[in-house]
Amino acid sequence: MATDVVVPTLGESITEATLGQWLKKPGEAVKVDEPIASLETDKVAVEVPSPVAGVIGELVVNEGDTVNVGAVIARIEAGAAASTSATPAVEDRTAVGKAEAAAPAEPASAPVEESGDALTLSPSVRRAVLEYGVDPSKIRGTGKDGRVTKDDVIAAAKSQPKTAAPAAAPAAAAPVASAAGERKEERVKMTRLRQTVAKRLKEAQNTAAMLTTFNDVDMTAVIEARNKYKDLFEKKHGVRLGFMGFFVKAAVMALKDVPAVNASIEGDEIVYRDYVDVSVAVSAPNGLVVPVIRDAQNLSVSGIEKTIGDFGKRAKEGKLSMEDMKGGTFTISNGGVFGSLMSTPIINPPQSGVLGLHRIEDRPVVRDGQVVVRPMMYLALSYDHRLIDGREAVTFLVALKNAIEDPTRLLIDL
């Protein structure tokens, strides 16, 4: 008897998704609630669990197909899991015995078994594997159920010993020689998330009167405070003290002073809010996602850091929900973690402002008539000029700058 696997409810107003990846193949055993497929919605990736224990039967749709909520995507033959899973167990024990008896011959077959795992890599991970030239079978995955993520591939590439390069060179030389002058292209279909991001960002450019104002901030005081208290902070709160806690807290204070930056336009009305829901960009296996720190005005620096840490962990595990992404009145995007010196971020409608953070860089500045070196960061505020005037944008950035350069202001709300 076969059991249908259907597309689960994905969230309010979301009626369809894209089947991004099959996590199980026909004939493979599956347990109850074990993920068998990954769906890509407009905002997050959602895993489809197995409703019963059994063996994967027919896969009704292909990777990349668009599916509606409630549609059948696969069928599971129930009741066959025990017999199916028992046989490999016997074979595994037999294989172990053979391996012990014929140790010299076994290593040659090991890569064949591991290479099958590469078939379950997501498209973005496959591209990263090709780009960085690493062996995915030798990477320990940190994603959900031990799956390899793009971050794992990048980390593995960085940790590769330099002495390994010459050994790999001869193998790579042959294809290069045989394909001299050949130019290759690869076409990869955009994920639903990337399509949605592209649509919304272009919509923002077409709708809002966007303008970006810059300032810079001396990070000396925040760096000193962080270095002084980071160990005690982690011991007490169980989370690392980063810079985002300071910036979110400072942004909340600046938004109270300049409420227009936290407002939005709806039709011919301006909506002002007495709360601040901050959207923060975090890295996930399928790209950047933007969960929301709700009621940030009520949180301490430790509460903000705990929330961001939880978002980062769940994003890597693919456990962020649609509810985590909804809303948001203001966005903070930290391009500095990737080395960005300066940028003009695009607002996320219906929000009216986005703060861009960048890398910290030692630069010469004048203090008390003397040229000194300080750790400086450029700040960028992109805003909807239909609602926010230049004076308000500059006032916001100056208030933020003052709070970061003198963190005591964060304690006394000044």
Side-chain angles (χ1 to χ4, degrees):
M1 178 180 176
T3 301
D4 291 341
V5 180
V6 301
V7 178
T9 301
L10 301 172
E12 184 180 355
S13 76
I14 298 180
T15 59
E16 63 179 22
T18 299
L19 200 147
Q21 180 185 5
W22 282 111
L23 306 179
K24 292 289 184 178
K25 304 181 183 67
E28 290 187 346
V30 64
K31 302 175 184 177
V32 177
D33 292 332
E34 183 177 2
I36 65 171
S38 175
L39 299 176
E40 295 177 354
T41 69
D42 292 347
K43 295 185 177 181
V44 293
V46 179
E47 291 184 335
V48 180
S50 172
V52 295
V55 173
I56 300 294
E58 178 186 5
L59 302 182
V60 179
V61 298
N62 299 318
E63 292 184 356
D65 288 354
T66 298
V67 292
N68 295 320
V69 172
V72 176
I73 59 173
R75 293 185 174 87
I76 296 177
E77 301 294 335
S83 61
T84 305
S85 59
T87 303
V90 175
E91 293 175 353
D92 289 344
R93 288 194 293 271
T94 305
V96 170
K98 291 180 179 179
E100 294 173 349
E106 280 302 305
S109 63
V112 177
E113 295 175 0
E114 293 180 354
S115 64
D117 293 339
L119 298 176
T120 63
L121 301 178
S122 68
S124 62
V125 176
R126 291 194 195 104
R127 289 195 296 273
V129 167
L130 294 174
E131 178 181 352
Y132 291 98
V134 298
D135 183 355
S137 65
K138 293 180 172 58
I139 300 175
R140 183 176 180 180
T142 60
K144 188 172 182 180
D145 298 328
R147 288 199 294 277
V148 176
T149 68
K150 184 177 179 180
D151 289 340
D152 296 332
V153 175
I154 295 174
K158 291 181 179 178
S159 64
Q160 279 184 333
K162 295 182 180 180
T163 55
V176 172
S178 62
E182 183 178 356
R183 290 151 55 94
K184 295 184 178 180
E185 293 182 352
E186 180 186 9
R187 293 181 181 268
V188 180
K189 185 176 180 180
M190 293 175 68
T191 64
R192 180 175 289 272
L193 175 60
R194 177 51 56 185
Q195 291 180 50
T196 301
V197 169
K199 180 180 178 181
R200 288 179 62 84
L201 294 183
K202 187 58 184 173
E203 174 188 338
Q205 288 185 320
N206 293 339
T207 304
M210 280 204 304
L211 182 64
T212 303
T213 295
F214 298 94
N215 210 323
D216 62 2
V217 58
D218 187 341
M219 295 290 290
T220 300
V222 165
I223 291 175
E224 289 177 351
R226 180 175 181 268
N227 290 339
K228 183 176 181 179
Y229 297 111
K230 63 181 181 180
D231 293 336
L232 289 174
F233 185 90
E234 185 171 3
K235 183 178 180 180
K236 179 175 181 179
H237 299 291
V239 64
R240 295 179 61 187
L241 176 61
F243 294 124
M244 282 297 288
F246 291 99
F247 275 102
V248 172
K249 192 69 177 177
V252 168
M253 291 176 54
L255 290 171
K256 288 169 61 179
D257 293 341
V258 191
V261 184
N262 193 47
S264 63
I265 295 177
E266 292 186 8
D268 58 356
E269 296 179 335
I270 300 175
V271 181
Y272 292 97
R273 304 176 177 89
D274 65 353
Y275 60 90
V276 181
D277 290 345
V278 181
S279 303
V280 291
V282 298
S283 181
N286 293 330
L288 290 177
V289 292
V290 191
V292 179
I293 304 174
R294 305 200 185 279
D295 291 319
Q297 77 280 357
N298 297 331
L299 297 178
S300 63
V301 171
S302 62
I304 293 169
E305 291 289 1
K306 287 178 181 178
T307 303
I308 295 175
D310 177 61
F311 283 153
K313 179 181 178 182
R314 289 195 288 136
K316 183 171 288 189
E317 296 173 349
K319 293 182 178 179
L320 284 176
S321 67
M322 300 299 299
E323 191 64 28
D324 294 323
M325 309 289 181
K326 289 173 58 177
T329 62
F330 182 75
T331 294
I332 299 179
S333 176
N334 186 6
V337 296
F338 304 109
S340 171
L341 176 64
M342 187 179 292
S343 67
T344 55
I346 301 177
I347 61 176
N348 180 25
Q351 296 177 21
S352 299
V354 53
L355 175 67
L357 307 181
H358 303 90
R359 75 170 183 247
I360 302 171
E361 183 178 63
D362 286 342
R363 292 200 296 270
V365 295
V366 178
R367 294 289 185 269
D368 299 324
Q370 300 292 322
V371 177
V372 294
V373 175
R374 291 286 187 268
M376 304 296 293
M377 175 195 287
Y378 285 118
L379 304 175
L381 177 69
S382 291
Y383 54 97
D384 189 344
H385 210 348
R386 297 178 302 167
L387 173 59
I388 303 167
D389 295 330
R391 176 181 59 85
E392 294 170 312
V394 173
T395 301
F396 172 88
L397 282 177
V398 169
L400 182 76
K401 172 184 172 74
N402 290 338
I404 294 298
E405 292 186 341
D406 184 7
T408 305
R409 291 171 175 262
L410 300 176
L411 299 177
I412 60 178
D413 194 15
L414 184 61

